[in-house]
């Protein structure tokens, strides 16, 4: 399984240039990239697509398609099967996971042979334990069941104010904390590449990888 976990950052302000430079090495010309937008509101679909069209413009003849939630299950499965890359965007991870389950797409994603890219909420959803640390949207930390593609968890939009929570949560799983502009690439059971700072929390210990 080939995965990219992106911690966050504004793509049009250049904060993810290094991440997308690495992605461009891994995405072949003529790639069919399907965007899974379930984490956000339908009203924001168009703006997400416009942004992604700009950042993927350097990949020759890349085609972006939107997996709209109004499509039927068979249409969604067909689009996924015909794609080379799945890109799960940011927003609310619980909404993303709920719709993936409601649309019966869990198996299609777990068995996906291409490149899976998760941005923010999308990265959280890939994990066995999807961790939502306290912020303006979540008054208390939550751990919900993710897709289980990997046995570790990630923290997105990381800042040091979350360290105490992450220390406590790391007793039961390894957590890779990704500040905006950072990413990790995972393949064949291992993290084999990172972009910018990545911090590991394991058994109440913090280290930079």
């Amino acid at each position: 399984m080939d995965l990219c976990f992106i911690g966050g950052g504004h793509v049009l302000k250049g904060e993810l240039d290094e991440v997308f430079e690495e992605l461009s090495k891994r995405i072949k010309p003529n790639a069919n990239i399907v965007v899974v937008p379930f984490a956000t509101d339908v009203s924001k679909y168009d703006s997400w697509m416009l942004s992604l069209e700009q950042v993927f413009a350097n990949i020759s003849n890349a085609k972006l398609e939107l997996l709209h939630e109004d499509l039927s299950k068979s249409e969604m499965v067909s689009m996924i099967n015909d794609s080379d890359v799945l890109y799960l965007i940011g927003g609310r991870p619980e909404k993303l996971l709920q719709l993936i389950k409601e649309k019966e797409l869990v198996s299609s994603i777990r068995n996906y042979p291409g490149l899976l890219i998760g941005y923010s909420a999308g990265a959280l959803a890939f994990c066995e334990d999807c961790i939502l640390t306290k912020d303006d949207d979540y008054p208390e930390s939550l751990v919900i069941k993710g897709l289980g593609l990997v046995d570790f968890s990630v923290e997105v939009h990381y800042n040091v104010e979350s360290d105490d929570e992450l220390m406590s949560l790391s007793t039961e799983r390894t957590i890779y904390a990704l500040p905006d502009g950072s990413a990790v690439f995972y393949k064949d059971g291992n993290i084999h590449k990172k972009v910018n700072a990545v911090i590991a929390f394991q058994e109440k210990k913090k280290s930079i990888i």
Side-chain angles (χ1 to χ4, degrees):
M1 180 160 277
D2 199 355
L3 299 167
C4 173
F5 299 77
I6 302 173
H10 199 298
V11 293
L12 299 183
K13 292 181 180 178
E15 295 172 356
L16 288 165
D17 284 356
E18 292 178 68
V19 175
F20 280 93
E21 182 181 345
E22 184 64 32
L23 283 170
S24 68
K25 300 174 186 176
R26 300 162 187 263
I27 300 174
K28 297 178 181 179
N30 305 306
N32 183 13
I33 303 167
V34 169
V35 178
V36 182
F38 301 159
T40 194
D41 295 327
V42 174
S43 62
K44 297 180 180 178
Y45 284 6
D46 288 344
S47 62
W48 269 97
M49 289 298 286
L50 285 171
S51 297
L52 291 174
E53 284 167 3
Q54 292 184 54
V55 296
F56 284 117
N58 63 330
I59 298 173
S60 178
N61 296 317
K63 177 184 176 185
L64 262 70
E65 292 188 294
L66 183 73
L67 197 74
H68 200 288
E69 63 183 72
D70 290 339
L71 295 171
S72 68
K73 177 193 173 183
S74 61
E75 289 172 321
M76 289 186 180
V77 170
S78 178
M79 283 181 66
I80 291 171
N81 289 343
D82 290 341
S83 69
D84 304 293
V85 179
L86 282 186
Y87 190 106
L88 281 65
I89 69 169
R92 298 189 71 96
E94 72 277 20
K95 182 177 185 293
L96 170 62
L97 289 163
Q98 179 184 353
L99 278 170
I100 287 173
K101 291 169 185 174
E102 284 181 4
K103 303 299 182 181
E104 300 179 6
L105 300 176
V106 174
S107 178
S108 294
I109 294 174
R110 283 180 176 163
N111 296 303
Y112 189 68
L115 173 62
L116 285 157
I117 304 170
Y119 172 91
S120 187
L124 294 173
F126 289 158
C127 304
E128 181 74 35
D129 293 332
C130 177
I131 293 175
L132 312 176
T133 50
K134 287 188 289 188
D135 60 17
D136 292 340
D137 295 318
Y138 304 99
E140 298 294 335
S141 295
L142 294 173
V143 179
I144 61 177
K145 184 175 175 56
L147 293 170
L149 306 186
V150 294
D151 60 1
F152 56 83
S153 296
V154 296
E155 164 79 349
V156 296
H157 307 292
Y158 166 72
N159 64 71
V160 295
E161 294 175 2
S162 301
D163 279 9
D164 288 345
E165 286 178 85
L166 295 171
M167 288 284 195
S168 176
L169 291 163
S170 72
T171 58
E172 296 182 31
R173 80 277 295 165
T174 297
I175 304 168
Y176 295 107
L178 307 172
D180 286 357
S182 295
V184 291
F185 291 81
Y186 171 97
K187 189 172 185 179
D188 300 329
N190 295 291
I191 290 176
H192 65 94
K193 177 79 176 182
K194 72 179 183 71
V195 176
N196 294 322
V198 177
I199 297 89
F201 291 84
Q202 190 173 24
E203 297 180 351
K204 290 192 173 183
K205 294 180 181 178
K206 175 183 176 181
S207 60
I208 298 173
I209 65 168

